[in-house]
Amino acid sequence: YRTYQTYERFQTNEDAPLGDFRASSYQQYQGEKLSRRFNAFSYYRLSQAMDSHHVGRGRGSVENALSRVRAKTLVLGIESDVLFPVQEQQYLASHIPGAHYEGIQSAYGHDGFLIETVLLTSILNKFLKTTPVDNKTGKTTPQLV
C-alpha cells in the first residue's frame, strides 16, 4: 500500500541479473515479518470484513447512519493513501455531525498511519484538547490549556 516514490529507492541496476529485484526481497522480508506476528487466516478474515462492511446496511443509507454518530470525531486522511482515499475520509467527516477532518501529506501511502507517528501524535493531541461538540453549532472549539 505504499507509493511509487517510496519504491524508487529499489530501482534495480540495469546490469543486474534477471530476477534480482531489490523490491522483491524487501516485500519478501516484510511478508515474513508480518506472518510471524499476524495469523494469515486472521488477515484474510479482516480483509473480508473490510470488503463487505456497509455502514448504511439496515440504517436507511450511509448518510443516515453517519448522521447518527454522536461521538467527538476526528477523521484523518493521507493524501497518498489509495486503500482509503481522502475523498472517502472527507465524505465521512462531512456526514458525521461536528466531525473534524485533517489531511496529511505522506510519501508512504496507506502505511503513513504507521510511519508518520510524530505528525499524527501532534494532530491527535490537538484534537483531544478540544471541547466536545456543541450540539447547536455542530463544531468543536479549542480549550485554553
Side-chain angles (χ1 to χ4, degrees):
Y1 302 121
R2 295 219 177 164
T3 64
Y4 175 80
Q5 290 80 11
T6 60
Y7 277 94
E8 279 186 301
R9 66 185 172 133
F10 295 117
Q11 293 297 321
T12 303
N13 180 330
E14 63 185 45
D15 297 326
L18 189 61
D20 183 24
F21 302 114
R22 290 177 25 201
S24 296
S25 65
Y26 171 77
Q27 289 290 343
Q28 183 69 33
Y29 166 75
Q30 292 298 333
E32 288 171 6
K33 194 166 87 170
L34 177 65
S35 70
R36 283 192 300 273
R37 62 186 170 90
F38 205 88
N39 179 290
F41 186 70
S42 296
Y43 186 78
Y44 170 72
R45 294 299 288 181
L46 179 61
S47 179
Q48 276 187 320
M50 288 172 35
D51 290 344
S52 65
H53 181 68
H54 189 296
V55 72
R57 186 180 297 125
R59 296 179 178 97
S61 69
V62 172
E63 294 84 0
N64 187 51
L66 295 175
S67 73
R68 295 162 58 183
V69 173
R70 297 292 173 249
K72 180 178 171 182
T73 306
L74 171 64
V75 181
L76 290 166
I78 300 172
E79 297 295 328
S80 58
D81 188 342
V82 295
L83 184 59
F84 296 106
V86 294
Q87 294 88 340
E88 288 181 359
Q89 308 320 308
Q90 292 165 341
Y91 179 85
L92 292 173
S94 70
H95 289 87
I96 296 172
H100 178 73
Y101 173 80
E102 285 281 341
I104 67 166
Q105 296 290 329
S106 175
Y108 298 102
H110 181 69
D111 286 353
F113 85 97
L114 297 168
I115 297 168
E116 306 288 359
T117 56
V118 172
L119 177 56
L120 293 174
T121 298
S122 173
I123 292 169
L124 286 168
N125 282 335
K126 180 181 171 187
F127 178 75
L128 292 172
K129 290 178 182 174
T130 61
T131 57
V133 173
D134 180 318
N135 288 329
K136 291 180 184 170
T137 66
K139 299 188 184 279
T140 60
T141 54
Q143 290 178 335
L144 298 175
V145 180

